[in-house]
Amino acid sequence: MTAQQSRRIVLASRPKGAPVSGDFRLETGPAVEPDEGQVAIRNLYLSLDPYMRGRMSDAPSYAEPFQIGEALGGATVGRVEASRDGNFKEGDLVLAFGGWQERSVLPASSLRKLPADLTRPSYALGVLGMPGFTAWHGLMKIGEPQAGETVVVAAASGAVGSVVGQVAKLKGARVVGIAGGEEKCRFVTDELGFDACIDRRDPQFAEKLKAAVPDGIDVYFENVGGAVFDAVLPLLNVHARVPICGLIAGYNSERPPEGPDRMPLLMGTLLKKRIRMQGFIIGDHYGPEFSEFMAEMGPWVKEGRVRFREDVVEGLENAPKAFIGLLEGENFGKLVVKLSDD
Amino acid sequence: MTAQQSRRIVLASRPKGAPVSGDFRLETGPAVEPDEGQVAIRNLYLSLDPYMRGRMSDAPSYAEPFQIGEALGGATVGRVEASRDGNFKEGDLVLAFGGWQERSVLPASSLRKLPADLTRPSYALGVLGMPGFTAWHGLMKIGEPQAGETVVVAAASGAVGSVVGQVAKLKGARVVGIAGGEEKCRFVTDELGFDACIDRRDPQFAEKLKAAVPDGIDVYFENVGGAVFDAVLPLLNVHARVPICGLIAGYNSERPPEGPDRMPLLMGTLLKKRIRMQGFIIGDHYGPEFSEFMAEMGPWVKEGRVRFREDVVEGLENAPKAFIGLLEGENFGKLVVKLSDD
């Protein structure tokens, strides 16, 4: 191997509130050589996801915080450049946690080989990867939608929400999306086939949401929190289910909002309406359930019954700006960074 | 039948905050004669339960509000005095929703015949009735305690909490109770066999609770809300389950407490720790599940493996004062009013 170069983006400082470009730093250095049992990978696509904001803080959470001065973590799809493990060979397409960098060296045991005929390699970071699995698990295992019920999905044009709504439709539910802006709402109804979509930026958002769910809400797939949840809460039906997948509205908050304290209101509503509210982290559920997901989702994607939109940003150097925009809802579809041509 | 008299307590006015004696009124009138399909009952015991506070308000809730000027509702055990239905005869012991009155006339279809050999008829209002079933359902169907896990029970000396803790012990969990006052706490550990009990009135309550659960909390059976829940929340483990059975601390509140608004904090905790929080109302679960409950609880009570304490108040005229005290935690054991000798 010749001495390859690799660029990477490291965490320069922990963001206070919304991340700014100064919290990130682009570095260049020689690529590392693989040891025995390791594989060297040229990364093609990096997934940018809201959960990364949590790991930029060092508050206790469900995952280790990213370290200052080290490459940020993230899921990647890449090609094997050199392998010192019998299970992988040069040219293999792999799913890895390669991080915000152009080249990674990882233990072979941490990689998953992807089929060579994958139509779009980046789908392994989207509808057929973590976001798709998140959508499917939260909806099917916690939301448990029944035919004829009303399902409401926040962040409906996003990587997770778009899949939640399409699967709920396939299961016979009436589906109302919530998205930021008219263009996203049109996409949600016209391209994804939701029954309705309400613009959360509309000054009459709460009233319009209420009008869009005449039978109330049986399943609310929570991705957002904040003002969206405030409008949803009074519309939840008796025996509603609320999978909590994310709370992006609060990720940049440094302190709790002003009162009154509505925690008792929320608990009282859960009691009076016998609601189940359950948080989940998809990392807990890989294993046999991922195969169950792929068996259902794979054919749906192939047959075009589940559609998936990607927002592809070119070049590692543009990742920080794209990530900052992601937290503001500026992306349109699953955000991935293209790191190199295949 | 001679013209019997019956005393009853009616709702004189809807309580503002904590009920006061003026919200209740004792009335006397002639007993009603049963029509075809109805049964006349002399009530022996009336159950007083915290849920009644909710039905004294006319805010939307899971049950119809009690009506001003009418006898308050409540579960009763009584003897049939006269029957115009083939399934019941004079002298039968029955469970009914007879209300706060000495005599009731009810449709035969609304009654459940009780075994003649019931050791204590009032147990049909307690450990073998609604409170016991509530405890068993919430713990077993939502809490799902595993051997070795830590279960924390609020209102641990009460009708529901005392049963929750004893069943959790029988299922192999470590059980910590929370109760109001040293005497109740001694009862919970010494008589009921909980591993520990913390006095919620102790100024060091939160610290002592934390010390009593070195491995965190896997199941929190919520009966109380308020400051007790505030101390529990940071101690919940990843994958904890929180059945919400009641929120007695807030039942008398007219408005939400001051801020900051901790609703986002609660939802964030549910997400980060993948917690399931679920409200339930036991009225939804009668049917085959009640037989499942009785098959397990009946022998436990008979063999003394589940013990049950009653707080018996004599005479209908004392029911309002006893109920007001119930909301303040003044009762000690399941509160029942003895309406007449058997």
Side-chain angles (χ1 to χ4, degrees):
Chain A
M1 270 179 71
T2 58
Q4 303 272 17
Q5 294 288 302
S6 176
R7 297 190 303 163
R8 58 189 200 150
I9 287 176
V10 304
L11 184 64
S13 54
R14 301 205 180 279
K16 305 230 181 304
V20 296
S21 61
D23 294 324
F24 304 87
R25 187 172 62 239
L26 183 67
E27 295 183 348
T28 305
V32 183
E33 300 281 324
D35 281 336
E36 188 58 37
Q38 291 186 328
V39 174
I41 302 158
R42 184 167 53 86
N43 299 322
L44 304 176
Y45 291 97
L46 164 67
S47 177
L48 293 182
D49 302 279
Y51 77 85
M52 293 168 167
R53 174 64 187 85
R55 295 186 65 182
M56 290 176 187
S57 300
D58 53 6
S61 186
Y62 47 81
E64 282 292 294
F66 295 137
Q67 297 303 310
I68 301 278
E70 297 200 358
L72 288 155
T76 50
V77 167
R79 287 273 173 211
V80 173
E81 286 195 308
S83 172
R84 295 190 59 191
D85 181 275
N87 294 309
F88 293 91
K89 60 175 199 302
E90 197 185 323
D92 280 348
L93 191 67
V94 294
L95 179 70
F97 204 75
W100 297 37
Q101 50 192 345
E102 292 173 333
R103 291 189 154 83
S104 311
V105 170
L106 291 164
S109 59
S110 72
L111 309 178
R112 189 148 53 83
K113 208 177 293 191
L114 293 170
D117 65 343
L118 210 60
T119 326
R120 298 177 66 90
S122 54
Y123 272 15
L125 302 172
V127 64
L128 299 176
M130 190 267 280
F133 187 36
T134 299
W136 180 89
H137 171 87
L139 181 70
M140 298 305 296
K141 302 294 180 179
I142 301 175
E144 300 180 76
Q146 307 299 308
E149 287 192 330
T150 299
V151 174
V152 170
V153 190
S157 69
V160 175
S162 66
V163 178
V164 169
Q166 291 176 89
V167 172
K169 283 296 293 179
L170 287 166
K171 298 294 178 183
R174 183 162 179 280
V175 178
V176 176
I178 298 168
E182 283 183 27
E183 188 193 359
K184 287 182 179 175
C185 278
R186 258 196 311 277
F187 169 73
V188 165
T189 51
D190 299 358
E191 300 292 318
L192 302 181
F194 287 31
D195 297 285
C197 187
I198 313 297
D199 181 357
R200 64 177 165 78
R201 296 173 185 161
D202 190 311
Q204 264 81 54
F205 167 67
E207 294 83 342
K208 289 193 176 172
L209 180 64
K210 185 175 180 182
V213 295
D215 300 326
I217 300 173
D218 299 297
V219 178
Y220 172 59
F221 193 100
E222 176 62 294
N223 264 319
V224 172
V228 170
F229 184 71
D230 297 349
V232 164
L233 183 59
L235 303 175
L236 291 172
N237 284 337
V238 166
H239 293 134
R241 287 82 66 196
V242 181
I244 306 180
C245 168
L247 294 164
I248 197 167
Y251 287 1
N252 286 337
S253 304
E254 293 276 289
R255 58 181 61 85
E258 286 188 16
D261 182 8
R262 295 181 304 161
M263 190 166 81
L265 168 73
L266 176 58
M267 293 178 70
T269 303
L270 298 187
L271 172 57
K272 286 177 191 164
K273 293 188 173 171
R274 300 85 118 180
I275 291 168
R276 184 174 60 204
M277 182 170 255
Q278 184 168 352
F280 72 102
I281 305 290
I282 199 62
D284 295 342
H285 302 283
Y286 282 89
E289 207 187 294
F290 188 80
S291 310
E292 193 189 336
F293 154 70
M294 284 297 286
E296 201 162 39
M297 191 64 72
W300 282 340
V301 171
K302 197 165 235 170
E303 296 159 14
R305 300 179 74 189
V306 170
R307 303 176 70 172
F308 194 70
R309 178 173 175 133
E310 294 183 322
D311 187 336
V312 182
V313 168
E314 298 276 338
L316 181 67
E317 65 280 10
N318 293 314
K321 183 164 170 287
F323 180 73
I324 292 166
L326 173 69
L327 296 178
E328 304 294 332
E330 287 171 11
N331 62 304
F332 189 172
K334 172 68 188 98
L335 186 59
V336 291
V337 180
K338 187 175 174 187
L339 300 176
S340 65
D341 287 323
D342 195 6
Chain B
M1 272 177 69
T2 58
Q4 304 272 16
Q5 293 289 302
S6 176
R7 298 191 303 163
R8 60 188 197 153
I9 287 175
V10 303
L11 184 63
S13 53
R14 301 206 180 278
K16 305 232 181 301
V20 295
S21 61
D23 294 324
F24 304 87
R25 188 171 64 238
L26 182 67
E27 295 183 348
T28 305
V32 182
E33 301 280 326
D35 282 337
E36 188 59 36
Q38 290 186 328
V39 175
I41 302 159
R42 184 167 54 85
N43 298 323
L44 304 176
Y45 291 96
L46 163 67
S47 177
L48 293 183
D49 301 280
Y51 77 84
M52 293 168 167
R53 175 62 187 87
R55 296 184 64 182
M56 292 176 187
S57 300
D58 54 6
S61 185
Y62 47 82
E64 282 291 294
F66 295 136
Q67 296 304 309
I68 302 277
E70 296 198 358
L72 288 155
T76 51
V77 166
R79 288 273 173 207
V80 173
E81 287 195 307
S83 171
R84 293 189 60 188
D85 181 276
N87 293 310
F88 293 91
K89 61 176 195 302
E90 198 184 323
D92 280 349
L93 191 68
V94 294
L95 179 70
F97 204 75
W100 298 37
Q101 52 191 345
E102 292 173 333
R103 290 189 154 84
S104 310
V105 170
L106 291 164
S109 59
S110 72
L111 309 177
R112 190 149 52 83
K113 207 178 291 193
L114 293 170
D117 66 343
L118 209 60
T119 326
R120 297 177 67 90
S122 53
Y123 272 15
L125 302 172
V127 65
L128 298 177
M130 189 267 280
F133 186 36
T134 299
W136 180 88
H137 171 86
L139 181 69
M140 298 305 297
K141 302 295 180 178
I142 301 175
E144 301 183 74
Q146 308 298 309
E149 286 192 330
T150 299
V151 174
V152 170
V153 190
S157 69
V160 174
S162 65
V163 178
V164 170
Q166 292 176 88
V167 172
K169 283 296 293 177
L170 288 167
K171 297 295 177 183
R174 182 162 180 281
V175 179
V176 176
I178 298 168
E182 284 183 26
E183 188 193 358
K184 286 181 179 176
C185 278
R186 259 196 311 278
F187 169 73
V188 164
T189 51
D190 299 359
E191 301 290 317
L192 302 181
F194 286 32
D195 296 286
C197 187
I198 314 298
D199 182 356
R200 64 177 164 79
R201 297 174 185 161
D202 190 312
Q204 265 80 54
F205 166 66
E207 294 84 340
K208 289 192 175 173
L209 180 65
K210 186 175 180 182
V213 294
D215 299 327
I217 299 172
D218 300 297
V219 178
Y220 173 59
F221 193 100
E222 176 62 294
N223 264 319
V224 171
V228 170
F229 184 71
D230 297 349
V232 164
L233 182 59
L235 303 174
L236 291 172
N237 284 337
V238 165
H239 293 135
R241 287 81 67 196
V242 181
I244 306 180
C245 169
L247 294 165
I248 196 167
Y251 287 0
N252 287 335
S253 305
E254 295 277 289
R255 58 181 62 82
E258 286 187 16
D261 182 7
R262 296 181 302 162
M263 190 166 82
L265 168 74
L266 176 59
M267 293 177 71
T269 303
L270 299 187
L271 172 57
K272 286 178 190 164
K273 295 190 173 169
R274 302 83 119 181
I275 291 168
R276 184 176 58 203
M277 183 171 254
Q278 184 168 352
F280 72 102
I281 305 292
I282 199 61
D284 294 343
H285 302 283
Y286 282 88
E289 207 187 294
F290 188 79
S291 310
E292 193 189 336
F293 155 70
M294 283 297 287
E296 201 161 39
M297 191 63 74
W300 281 341
V301 172
K302 197 167 235 169
E303 296 158 13
R305 300 178 75 189
V306 170
R307 302 175 69 173
F308 193 71
R309 178 173 175 135
E310 294 184 320
D311 187 337
V312 182
V313 168
E314 298 275 338
L316 179 66
E317 65 279 10
N318 293 313
K321 184 164 170 287
F323 180 73
I324 291 166
L326 173 69
L327 296 179
E328 304 296 332
E330 288 172 10
N331 61 304
F332 188 173
K334 172 66 187 102
L335 186 58
V336 290
V337 180
K338 186 175 174 189
L339 301 176
S340 64
D341 287 321
D342 195 7

